[in-house]
Amino acid sequence: MNEKISAIHMDDLVPIIREVLEMGSEFRLYPRGRSMLPTIVEGKDSVMLAKPTEVAVWDAVLYQRAAGQYVLHRIVAEHGDYYDMCGDNQLVIEKNVPKTALIAKVTAVYKDGECQKVTDPAYQKKIRRLYAAKPLRRVTAAVKRVLYPLYRPIKPFLGK
């Protein structure tokens, strides 16, 4: 029997997450979206959240943007009372996110039924490797932006 699973809107879920974290517990979240690929796959992976008492560059955190959206991204820089954030699958860095916007810190990622602690050296190595490749991805994206308008008009003539 197929049961339809309905999603809970983050506006309703965040107060519960905050309450659980304030009690000293952790909260398991199934994030939506593509911004954290390949680290977190929507509908397949989940994350364990804890209170963001000690966060550092390369930690993934749940935060709320000034416009109200809830986002799970990685801290890529810290300056004063602000962080710069970026999704693992993104090239654009979101600058000057106030530290007060943080709701939770990711402590583990559940992939294929396996728990990967973010403190595990293998996990940290994978994240460093992913971010080391970003400059090349930026160049590739820029080249595609330039070449695609040239390619599009001739695409029908190239066939499959």
Side-chain angles (χ1 to χ4, degrees):
M1 180 174 151
N2 280 343
E3 286 186 41
K4 184 176 179 182
I5 298 172
S6 60
I8 299 172
H9 194 277
M10 286 298 289
D11 284 335
D12 298 323
L13 193 56
V14 167
I16 297 166
I17 293 172
R18 287 185 193 273
E19 186 175 335
V20 168
L21 300 184
E22 281 300 319
M23 294 186 318
S25 295
E26 293 186 318
F27 189 94
R28 193 159 174 183
L29 179 71
Y30 292 80
R32 294 179 49 203
R34 300 173 45 89
S35 69
M36 288 299 285
L37 289 170
T39 310
I40 302 166
V41 179
E42 178 181 352
K44 186 177 175 187
D45 301 335
S46 63
V47 297
M48 189 62 75
L49 301 174
K51 197 171 179 179
T53 51
E54 294 181 26
V55 295
V57 172
W58 304 122
D59 285 342
V61 294
L62 175 66
Y63 64 98
Q64 186 174 20
R65 288 182 173 148
Q69 304 102 323
Y70 295 97
V71 183
L72 184 73
H73 279 175
R74 197 168 301 284
I75 299 171
V76 295
E78 178 181 2
H79 41 92
D81 291 334
Y82 298 92
Y83 294 116
D84 292 345
M85 307 286 198
C86 193
D88 291 351
N89 192 35
Q90 295 184 317
L91 299 176
V92 177
I93 295 173
E94 182 178 354
K95 304 253 185 204
N96 299 320
V97 174
K99 290 183 176 181
T100 56
L102 269 55
I103 297 166
K105 171 185 170 177
V106 174
T107 59
V109 177
Y110 291 85
K111 292 189 79 58
D112 301 321
E114 246 182 73
C115 178
Q116 299 176 337
K117 296 281 186 187
V118 299
T119 54
D120 180 358
Y123 175 86
Q124 293 175 349
K125 182 178 178 181
K126 182 175 81 171
I127 297 305
R128 283 193 303 274
R129 197 171 352 152
L130 181 68
Y131 276 81
K134 278 199 178 204
L136 180 59
R137 288 175 52 209
R138 281 190 181 93
V139 170
T140 305
V143 169
K144 285 180 180 178
R145 277 193 303 274
V146 170
L147 293 180
Y148 188 72
L150 303 172
Y151 166 74
R152 203 167 80 205
I154 63 169
K155 183 179 176 184
F157 301 106
L158 297 176
K160 286 193 173 193

